[in-house]
Amino acid sequence: MAVKSSVKSPATDPRHARFMGQALELAARGLGLTAPNPAVGAVVVRDDRVVGRGWHRAAGTPHAEVLALRDAGAAARGADLYCTLEPCNHAGRTGPCTGAIAAAGIRRVFFGCPDPNPGVKGGGAGCLKRAGIAVTGGVQGAACAELVRAWARWVTTGSPWVTLKAAASVDGKIATRTGDSKWISSEASRAVVQRLRFEADAIMVGAGTVLKDNPHLTVRLPGLAGRKATLRVVLDGRLDVGPGARMYRDGAAPVLVVASRQAPEQRAAELRARGVEVLRVPVEGGGADLKKMLKELGARGVTHLLVEGGSEVHGAFCDARLYDEVHLFMAPVIIGGARAKTFIAGEGAQSMRAAQRLTLMSFERIGDDFHFVLRRTDGGGARVHRAG
Protein backbone atom coordinates (compact mmCIF):
# COMPACT_ATOMS: atom_id res chain seq x y z
CA MET A 1 0.00 0.00 0.00
CA ALA A 2 1.42 3.36 -1.04
CA VAL A 3 1.93 5.94 1.67
CA LYS A 4 0.80 9.42 0.75
CA SER A 5 3.37 12.06 1.58
CA SER A 6 2.29 14.89 3.88
CA VAL A 7 5.05 17.16 2.62
CA LYS A 8 3.63 19.96 0.50
CA SER A 9 5.44 21.12 -2.61
CA PRO A 10 6.49 24.76 -2.79
CA ALA A 11 3.96 25.25 -5.56
CA THR A 12 1.04 24.28 -3.28
CA ASP A 13 2.30 25.17 0.21
CA PRO A 14 0.12 28.04 1.53
CA ARG A 15 3.15 29.59 3.26
CA HIS A 16 5.07 29.89 0.02
CA ALA A 17 1.98 31.15 -1.79
CA ARG A 18 1.49 33.83 0.87
CA PHE A 19 4.99 35.23 0.59
CA MET A 20 5.02 35.06 -3.20
CA GLY A 21 1.64 36.78 -3.18
CA GLN A 22 3.22 39.70 -1.33
CA ALA A 23 6.04 39.77 -3.89
CA LEU A 24 3.45 39.87 -6.69
CA GLU A 25 1.66 42.81 -5.06
CA LEU A 26 4.95 44.67 -4.87
CA ALA A 27 5.80 43.85 -8.50
CA ALA A 28 2.46 45.24 -9.69
CA ARG A 29 3.52 48.68 -8.43
CA GLY A 30 6.06 48.80 -11.25
CA LEU A 31 3.66 47.95 -14.09
CA GLY A 32 3.99 50.53 -16.83
CA LEU A 33 7.15 52.05 -15.37
CA THR A 34 9.95 49.54 -15.95
CA ALA A 35 10.20 49.05 -19.74
CA PRO A 36 12.22 47.65 -21.30
CA ASN A 37 12.69 45.72 -18.05
CA PRO A 38 10.06 43.51 -16.42
CA ALA A 39 8.05 44.42 -13.34
CA VAL A 40 9.48 42.32 -10.49
CA GLY A 41 8.81 42.10 -6.76
CA ALA A 42 10.76 40.44 -3.96
CA VAL A 43 10.50 39.83 -0.21
CA VAL A 44 13.06 38.59 2.31
CA VAL A 45 11.59 36.21 4.90
CA ARG A 46 13.15 35.28 8.24
CA ASP A 47 11.46 33.21 10.94
CA ASP A 48 8.22 33.25 8.97
CA ARG A 49 8.18 37.06 8.88
CA VAL A 50 8.85 39.48 6.04
CA VAL A 51 11.92 41.56 6.93
CA GLY A 52 12.66 43.12 3.54
CA ARG A 53 10.61 44.32 0.58
CA GLY A 54 11.49 45.61 -2.86
CA TRP A 55 10.15 46.14 -6.37
CA HIS A 56 11.76 47.30 -9.58
CA ARG A 57 10.86 50.93 -10.21
CA ALA A 58 12.47 51.82 -13.54
CA ALA A 59 15.08 50.61 -16.02
CA GLY A 60 18.56 51.51 -14.84
CA THR A 61 17.59 51.48 -11.16
CA PRO A 62 18.27 48.64 -8.66
CA HIS A 63 16.35 45.43 -9.18
CA ALA A 64 13.70 44.18 -6.77
CA GLU A 65 15.98 41.62 -5.13
CA VAL A 66 18.67 44.18 -4.37
CA LEU A 67 16.14 46.60 -2.87
CA ALA A 68 14.60 43.85 -0.72
CA LEU A 69 18.07 42.84 0.54
CA ARG A 70 18.89 46.45 1.37
CA ASP A 71 15.61 46.78 3.23
CA ALA A 72 16.35 43.61 5.22
CA GLY A 73 19.91 44.60 6.07
CA ALA A 74 21.69 42.17 8.40
CA ALA A 75 18.47 40.17 8.79
CA ALA A 76 18.98 38.81 5.27
CA ARG A 77 21.77 36.45 6.41
CA GLY A 78 20.31 32.97 6.68
CA ALA A 79 16.91 34.14 5.44
CA ASP A 80 14.77 33.14 2.44
CA LEU A 81 14.22 35.29 -0.65
CA TYR A 82 11.00 35.17 -2.68
CA CYS A 83 11.06 36.88 -6.08
CA THR A 84 8.54 36.81 -8.89
CA LEU A 85 11.16 36.28 -11.62
CA GLU A 86 14.32 34.16 -11.61
CA PRO A 87 17.16 36.41 -10.39
CA CYS A 88 19.42 37.69 -13.14
CA ASN A 89 23.03 36.63 -13.58
CA HIS A 90 24.06 39.17 -16.17
CA ALA A 91 25.17 42.78 -15.98
CA GLY A 92 23.23 45.46 -17.84
CA ARG A 93 22.87 48.94 -16.44
CA THR A 94 22.99 47.32 -12.99
CA GLY A 95 25.00 44.39 -11.65
CA PRO A 96 23.74 40.80 -11.47
CA CYS A 97 21.31 40.06 -8.65
CA THR A 98 22.81 36.62 -8.02
CA GLY A 99 26.02 38.17 -6.69
CA ALA A 100 24.10 40.43 -4.31
CA ILE A 101 21.99 37.48 -3.09
CA ALA A 102 25.05 35.35 -2.38
CA ALA A 103 26.89 38.22 -0.67
CA ALA A 104 23.89 38.88 1.59
CA GLY A 105 23.98 35.30 2.90
CA ILE A 106 20.54 34.24 1.67
CA ARG A 107 19.90 30.57 2.49
CA ARG A 108 17.11 29.71 0.05
CA VAL A 109 15.62 31.37 -3.01
CA PHE A 110 12.07 30.77 -4.25
CA PHE A 111 11.12 32.30 -7.58
CA GLY A 112 7.94 32.34 -9.63
CA CYS A 113 8.76 32.03 -13.31
CA PRO A 114 12.06 31.33 -15.08
CA ASP A 115 13.80 34.09 -16.99
CA PRO A 116 12.76 33.54 -20.65
CA ASN A 117 15.63 35.62 -22.05
CA PRO A 118 17.20 33.22 -24.61
CA GLY A 119 20.68 34.45 -23.74
CA VAL A 120 20.45 33.74 -20.00
CA LYS A 121 17.98 30.85 -19.60
CA GLY A 122 18.68 29.04 -16.34
CA GLY A 123 21.73 31.16 -15.66
CA GLY A 124 20.43 32.79 -12.51
CA ALA A 125 19.23 29.62 -10.82
CA GLY A 126 22.36 27.74 -11.83
CA CYS A 127 24.65 30.43 -10.44
CA LEU A 128 22.82 30.46 -7.11
CA LYS A 129 23.02 26.67 -6.82
CA ARG A 130 26.76 26.75 -7.48
CA ALA A 131 27.04 29.25 -4.64
CA GLY A 132 25.43 26.70 -2.30
CA ILE A 133 22.02 28.36 -2.18
CA ALA A 134 18.92 26.15 -2.38
CA VAL A 135 16.74 27.25 -5.29
CA THR A 136 13.11 26.40 -6.04
CA GLY A 137 11.20 27.71 -9.05
CA GLY A 138 7.54 27.59 -10.03
CA VAL A 139 6.07 29.12 -6.87
CA GLN A 140 2.88 30.85 -8.04
CA GLY A 141 4.42 30.34 -11.47
CA ALA A 142 1.32 31.07 -13.56
CA ALA A 143 0.59 34.36 -11.79
CA CYS A 144 4.23 35.43 -12.03
CA ALA A 145 4.41 34.58 -15.74
CA GLU A 146 1.19 36.50 -16.36
CA LEU A 147 2.70 39.58 -14.76
CA VAL A 148 5.63 39.65 -17.19
CA ARG A 149 3.88 38.31 -20.28
CA ALA A 150 4.48 41.48 -22.33
CA TRP A 151 8.15 41.64 -21.42
CA ALA A 152 8.54 37.91 -22.11
CA ARG A 153 7.09 38.40 -25.60
CA TRP A 154 9.48 41.29 -26.24
CA VAL A 155 12.63 39.61 -24.90
CA THR A 156 12.02 36.43 -26.91
CA THR A 157 10.79 37.93 -30.20
CA GLY A 158 11.86 41.57 -30.27
CA SER A 159 8.21 42.62 -30.75
CA PRO A 160 5.73 43.93 -28.16
CA TRP A 161 2.67 42.29 -26.71
CA VAL A 162 -0.33 43.78 -28.55
CA THR A 163 -3.61 44.58 -26.81
CA LEU A 164 -6.67 45.74 -28.75
CA LYS A 165 -9.10 47.91 -26.79
CA ALA A 166 -12.60 48.98 -27.79
CA ALA A 167 -15.78 50.36 -26.25
CA ALA A 168 -18.82 49.01 -28.05
CA SER A 169 -22.57 48.68 -27.85
CA VAL A 170 -24.14 45.26 -27.39
CA ASP A 171 -24.47 45.05 -31.18
CA GLY A 172 -20.74 45.64 -31.57
CA LYS A 173 -20.84 49.25 -32.79
CA ILE A 174 -18.21 51.82 -31.80
CA ALA A 175 -20.12 54.83 -33.16
CA THR A 176 -23.43 55.78 -34.75
CA ARG A 177 -23.81 56.03 -38.52
CA THR A 178 -22.98 59.76 -38.19
CA GLY A 179 -19.75 59.01 -36.33
CA ASP A 180 -20.93 60.05 -32.85
CA SER A 181 -19.20 57.95 -30.18
CA LYS A 182 -19.14 60.07 -27.00
CA TRP A 183 -19.75 58.31 -24.84
CA ILE A 184 -20.59 54.65 -25.37
CA SER A 185 -18.98 53.37 -22.18
CA SER A 186 -19.31 54.80 -18.69
CA GLU A 187 -16.93 57.08 -16.84
CA ALA A 188 -15.94 54.12 -14.63
CA SER A 189 -15.00 52.07 -17.69
CA ARG A 190 -12.98 54.96 -19.07
CA ALA A 191 -11.04 55.07 -15.80
CA VAL A 192 -10.06 51.43 -16.35
CA VAL A 193 -8.87 52.38 -19.84
CA GLN A 194 -6.68 55.06 -18.29
CA ARG A 195 -5.02 52.36 -16.19
CA LEU A 196 -4.51 50.27 -19.33
CA ARG A 197 -2.87 53.26 -21.00
CA PHE A 198 -0.58 53.72 -18.03
CA GLU A 199 0.52 50.09 -18.01
CA ALA A 200 1.27 50.10 -21.75
CA ASP A 201 4.51 51.46 -23.20
CA ALA A 202 2.82 52.89 -26.29
CA ILE A 203 -0.74 53.76 -27.37
CA MET A 204 -1.76 53.52 -31.03
CA VAL A 205 -4.63 54.96 -33.05
CA GLY A 206 -5.27 55.39 -36.74
CA ALA A 207 -5.32 58.63 -38.70
CA GLY A 208 -9.12 58.48 -38.88
CA THR A 209 -9.42 58.61 -35.10
CA VAL A 210 -7.11 61.64 -34.92
CA LEU A 211 -8.99 63.47 -37.68
CA LYS A 212 -12.39 62.77 -36.09
CA ASP A 213 -11.66 63.06 -32.36
CA ASN A 214 -8.38 65.04 -32.25
CA PRO A 215 -7.38 63.31 -28.98
CA HIS A 216 -4.48 64.07 -26.67
CA LEU A 217 -4.10 60.32 -26.07
CA THR A 218 -2.57 60.82 -22.64
CA VAL A 219 -3.08 59.31 -19.19
CA ARG A 220 -5.44 61.57 -17.25
CA LEU A 221 -6.36 59.48 -14.22
CA PRO A 222 -5.58 61.24 -10.91
CA GLY A 223 -2.54 59.67 -9.30
CA LEU A 224 -1.23 58.41 -12.65
CA ALA A 225 -1.17 61.56 -14.77
CA GLY A 226 2.33 62.93 -15.20
CA ARG A 227 4.12 59.86 -13.82
CA LYS A 228 5.30 58.79 -17.28
CA ALA A 229 5.24 59.99 -20.87
CA THR A 230 3.70 57.09 -22.78
CA LEU A 231 4.67 57.01 -26.45
CA ARG A 232 1.76 57.92 -28.74
CA VAL A 233 1.72 56.20 -32.14
CA VAL A 234 -0.41 57.21 -35.11
CA LEU A 235 -0.83 54.85 -38.06
CA ASP A 236 -1.08 57.34 -40.93
CA GLY A 237 0.10 55.83 -44.19
CA ARG A 238 -0.45 58.92 -46.36
CA LEU A 239 0.26 61.49 -43.64
CA ASP A 240 -3.28 62.81 -43.80
CA VAL A 241 -3.08 64.32 -40.31
CA GLY A 242 -1.55 67.79 -40.36
CA PRO A 243 0.87 69.29 -37.82
CA GLY A 244 -1.96 71.13 -36.06
CA ALA A 245 -3.31 68.00 -34.34
CA ARG A 246 -3.48 68.35 -30.56
CA MET A 247 -1.11 65.52 -29.76
CA TYR A 248 1.44 66.90 -32.23
CA ARG A 249 1.66 70.22 -30.42
CA ASP A 250 0.77 69.59 -26.75
CA GLY A 251 4.26 68.40 -25.75
CA ALA A 252 2.72 65.99 -23.22
CA ALA A 253 4.48 62.87 -24.51
CA PRO A 254 6.49 61.78 -27.55
CA VAL A 255 4.68 61.02 -30.81
CA LEU A 256 5.64 58.56 -33.53
CA VAL A 257 3.80 58.63 -36.85
CA VAL A 258 3.98 55.47 -38.95
CA ALA A 259 3.78 56.30 -42.66
CA SER A 260 4.35 54.53 -45.93
CA ARG A 261 7.53 55.12 -47.88
CA GLN A 262 5.42 56.82 -50.54
CA ALA A 263 3.96 59.52 -48.24
CA PRO A 264 4.96 63.09 -49.23
CA GLU A 265 8.28 64.17 -47.72
CA GLN A 266 7.03 67.75 -47.31
CA ARG A 267 4.33 66.57 -44.89
CA ALA A 268 6.87 64.47 -43.00
CA ALA A 269 9.16 67.50 -42.70
CA GLU A 270 6.30 69.58 -41.26
CA LEU A 271 5.72 66.96 -38.59
CA ARG A 272 9.40 66.68 -37.75
CA ALA A 273 9.46 70.45 -37.28
CA ARG A 274 6.90 69.88 -34.52
CA GLY A 275 9.16 67.32 -32.86
CA VAL A 276 7.17 64.37 -34.20
CA GLU A 277 9.16 61.32 -35.30
CA VAL A 278 8.11 59.87 -38.65
CA LEU A 279 8.74 56.18 -39.22
CA ARG A 280 8.41 54.97 -42.79
CA VAL A 281 7.57 51.31 -43.27
CA PRO A 282 6.87 49.20 -46.37
CA VAL A 283 3.32 48.71 -47.58
CA GLU A 284 1.99 45.17 -47.54
CA GLY A 285 -1.44 44.11 -48.78
CA GLY A 286 -2.62 47.70 -49.17
CA GLY A 287 -1.59 48.80 -45.68
CA ALA A 288 1.46 49.29 -43.52
CA ASP A 289 3.68 46.29 -42.86
CA LEU A 290 2.55 45.81 -39.26
CA LYS A 291 5.13 43.12 -38.50
CA LYS A 292 7.93 45.47 -39.53
CA MET A 293 6.35 48.27 -37.51
CA LEU A 294 6.16 46.09 -34.39
CA LYS A 295 9.83 45.22 -34.72
CA GLU A 296 10.64 48.91 -34.96
CA LEU A 297 8.62 49.61 -31.81
CA GLY A 298 10.37 46.74 -30.06
CA ALA A 299 13.73 48.22 -30.99
CA ARG A 300 12.61 51.37 -29.20
CA GLY A 301 11.96 49.42 -25.99
CA VAL A 302 8.19 49.10 -26.39
CA THR A 303 7.20 45.83 -24.70
CA HIS A 304 3.42 46.44 -24.61
CA LEU A 305 1.41 48.21 -27.32
CA LEU A 306 -2.18 49.25 -26.61
CA VAL A 307 -4.15 49.67 -29.85
CA GLU A 308 -7.23 51.87 -29.39
CA GLY A 309 -8.44 51.77 -32.99
CA GLY A 310 -10.44 52.69 -34.94
CA SER A 311 -12.08 49.78 -36.61
CA GLU A 312 -9.80 49.66 -39.65
CA VAL A 313 -6.69 49.58 -37.47
CA HIS A 314 -8.18 46.83 -35.32
CA GLY A 315 -9.15 44.96 -38.47
CA ALA A 316 -5.63 45.19 -39.86
CA PHE A 317 -4.16 43.68 -36.70
CA CYS A 318 -6.79 40.93 -36.68
CA ASP A 319 -6.36 40.08 -40.37
CA ALA A 320 -2.59 39.84 -39.83
CA ARG A 321 -3.09 37.94 -36.55
CA LEU A 322 -0.66 40.30 -34.87
CA TYR A 323 -2.52 40.85 -31.61
CA ASP A 324 -2.47 38.93 -28.34
CA GLU A 325 -5.35 40.23 -26.27
CA VAL A 326 -8.63 42.12 -26.53
CA HIS A 327 -10.12 44.38 -23.86
CA LEU A 328 -13.75 44.96 -24.81
CA PHE A 329 -15.94 47.33 -22.81
CA MET A 330 -19.54 46.57 -23.74
CA ALA A 331 -22.30 49.01 -22.82
CA PRO A 332 -26.01 48.12 -22.53
CA VAL A 333 -27.05 50.16 -25.54
CA ILE A 334 -28.09 49.29 -29.08
CA ILE A 335 -26.88 51.60 -31.86
CA GLY A 336 -27.91 49.65 -34.95
CA GLY A 337 -27.51 50.70 -38.55
CA ALA A 338 -25.69 48.94 -41.35
CA ARG A 339 -23.37 51.94 -41.83
CA ALA A 340 -22.44 52.24 -38.16
CA LYS A 341 -18.91 50.91 -37.66
CA THR A 342 -18.16 47.76 -35.71
CA PHE A 343 -15.01 47.62 -33.62
CA ILE A 344 -13.32 45.17 -36.04
CA ALA A 345 -13.27 45.98 -39.76
CA GLY A 346 -10.72 44.70 -42.28
CA GLU A 347 -11.29 41.74 -44.56
CA GLY A 348 -12.46 39.34 -41.87
CA ALA A 349 -13.09 35.62 -42.13
CA GLN A 350 -14.69 34.01 -45.17
CA SER A 351 -16.19 31.19 -43.11
CA MET A 352 -16.87 30.34 -39.49
CA ARG A 353 -14.16 27.74 -39.71
CA ALA A 354 -11.69 30.55 -40.43
CA ALA A 355 -13.04 32.78 -37.65
CA GLN A 356 -10.55 33.57 -34.91
CA ARG A 357 -11.36 31.87 -31.62
CA LEU A 358 -10.56 33.65 -28.38
CA THR A 359 -10.20 32.46 -24.80
CA LEU A 360 -12.15 34.36 -22.18
CA MET A 361 -9.60 35.30 -19.52
CA SER A 362 -11.86 37.40 -17.29
CA PHE A 363 -14.95 39.54 -17.21
CA GLU A 364 -16.27 42.00 -14.70
CA ARG A 365 -19.20 44.33 -14.34
CA ILE A 366 -18.29 48.02 -14.18
CA GLY A 367 -21.50 49.83 -13.30
CA ASP A 368 -23.82 48.92 -16.17
CA ASP A 369 -20.93 48.02 -18.51
CA PHE A 370 -19.14 44.72 -18.92
CA HIS A 371 -15.38 44.46 -19.33
CA PHE A 372 -14.24 41.37 -21.22
CA VAL A 373 -10.59 40.33 -21.45
CA LEU A 374 -10.03 37.81 -24.23
CA ARG A 375 -6.88 36.23 -25.54
CA ARG A 376 -6.06 34.47 -28.77
CA THR A 377 -6.69 30.77 -28.34
CA ASP A 378 -3.30 29.93 -29.83
CA GLY A 379 -1.48 32.36 -27.56
CA GLY A 380 -2.96 32.24 -24.06
CA GLY A 381 -4.09 29.89 -21.34
CA ALA A 382 -7.62 29.23 -20.15
CA ARG A 383 -8.58 31.27 -17.13
CA VAL A 384 -11.94 32.84 -16.41
CA HIS A 385 -12.51 35.26 -13.57
CA ARG A 386 -15.90 36.75 -12.81
CA ALA A 387 -16.31 39.87 -10.71
CA GLY A 388 -19.21 42.07 -9.77
Side-chain angles (χ1 to χ4, degrees):
M1 178 178 174
V3 178
K4 193 172 184 178
S5 172
S6 61
V7 178
K8 296 177 181 178
S9 74
T12 58
D13 190 323
R15 176 178 175 273
H16 294 301
R18 174 162 56 95
F19 292 131
M20 190 60 78
Q22 293 185 46
L24 280 163
E25 290 176 4
L26 289 167
R29 298 185 187 184
L31 283 173
L33 298 170
T34 62
N37 289 355
V40 180
V43 295
V44 178
V45 177
R46 187 183 183 92
D47 298 328
D48 212 31
R49 184 173 64 89
V50 174
V51 296
R53 298 172 175 83
W55 70 94
H56 188 42
R57 288 164 167 78
T61 66
H63 290 185
E65 300 94 317
V66 172
L67 292 173
L69 292 171
R70 288 180 186 175
D71 190 38
R77 188 157 299 277
D80 296 337
L81 175 70
Y82 290 79
C83 46
T84 55
L85 183 67
E86 178 185 0
C88 67
N89 186 42
H90 59 283
R93 282 187 273 182
T94 60
C97 290
T98 51
I101 292 168
I106 288 292
R107 180 172 62 105
R108 299 185 299 180
V109 171
F110 299 91
F111 68 85
C113 64
D115 189 337
N117 189 332
V120 300
K121 270 190 175 179
C127 180
L128 292 171
K129 290 175 182 177
R130 289 191 294 272
I133 300 171
V135 181
T136 302
V139 181
Q140 296 284 85
C144 292
E146 179 72 14
L147 185 78
V148 296
R149 68 190 185 282
W151 172 78
R153 166 62 53 78
W154 175 80
V155 82
T156 55
T157 69
S159 294
W161 178 275
V162 177
T163 297
L164 307 184
K165 166 263 161 182
S169 61
V170 292
D171 55 334
K173 308 292 187 178
I174 60 171
T176 68
R177 58 185 171 81
T178 64
D180 183 24
S181 61
K182 290 186 171 41
W183 294 98
I184 291 177
S185 61
S186 66
E187 186 175 348
S189 291
R190 297 196 296 275
V192 175
V193 173
Q194 293 294 310
R195 166 57 71 173
L196 289 175
R197 284 185 177 183
F198 182 80
E199 293 183 356
D201 303 322
I203 310 165
M204 171 178 281
V205 294
T209 295
V210 180
L211 290 170
K212 182 174 75 72
D213 297 334
N214 201 14
H216 286 288
L217 218 64
T218 53
V219 177
R220 300 182 299 275
L221 198 66
L224 299 181
R227 290 187 63 192
K228 59 178 286 196
T230 304
L231 176 66
R232 298 170 291 182
V233 183
V234 179
L235 200 56
D236 187 3
R238 299 176 303 188
L239 294 179
D240 290 328
V241 180
R246 284 177 182 168
M247 75 170 76
Y248 294 174
R249 53 187 172 84
D250 63 13
V255 180
L256 173 69
V257 174
V258 180
S260 73
R261 291 174 176 172
Q262 291 73 39
E265 178 54 33
Q266 177 59 35
R267 293 183 184 177
E270 291 172 355
L271 296 181
R272 293 191 192 101
R274 283 280 189 187
V276 174
E277 181 183 1
V278 178
L279 170 66
R280 293 185 181 272
V281 297
V283 172
E284 185 173 281
D289 185 337
L290 296 181
K291 187 173 290 187
K292 172 70 172 175
M293 180 206 67
L294 290 175
K295 286 290 186 182
E296 291 284 353
L297 290 177
R300 288 163 170 75
V302 173
T303 67
H304 186 182
L305 173 65
L306 176 64
V307 181
E308 295 202 15
S311 61
E312 294 295 337
V313 174
H314 283 157
F317 275 92
C318 285
D319 286 343
R321 284 173 163 76
L322 287 175
Y323 70 99
D324 300 286
E325 195 169 67
V326 176
H327 280 254
L328 175 61
F329 296 83
M330 186 164 282
V333 59
I334 293 176
I335 292 176
R339 291 188 291 120
K341 289 186 176 181
T342 60
F343 75 94
I344 302 287
E347 292 185 6
Q350 291 186 341
S351 66
M352 282 307 300
R353 186 174 182 179
Q356 298 177 42
R357 302 289 175 177
L358 304 179
T359 297
L360 178 61
M361 301 300 289
S362 68
F363 67 89
E364 62 178 333
R365 187 167 183 173
I366 305 175
D368 288 334
D369 297 345
F370 279 97
H371 176 204
F372 295 85
V373 181
L374 307 111
R375 199 165 291 174
R376 284 179 56 188
T377 299
D378 56 358
R383 180 177 65 110
V384 179
H385 172 261
R386 299 168 175 83

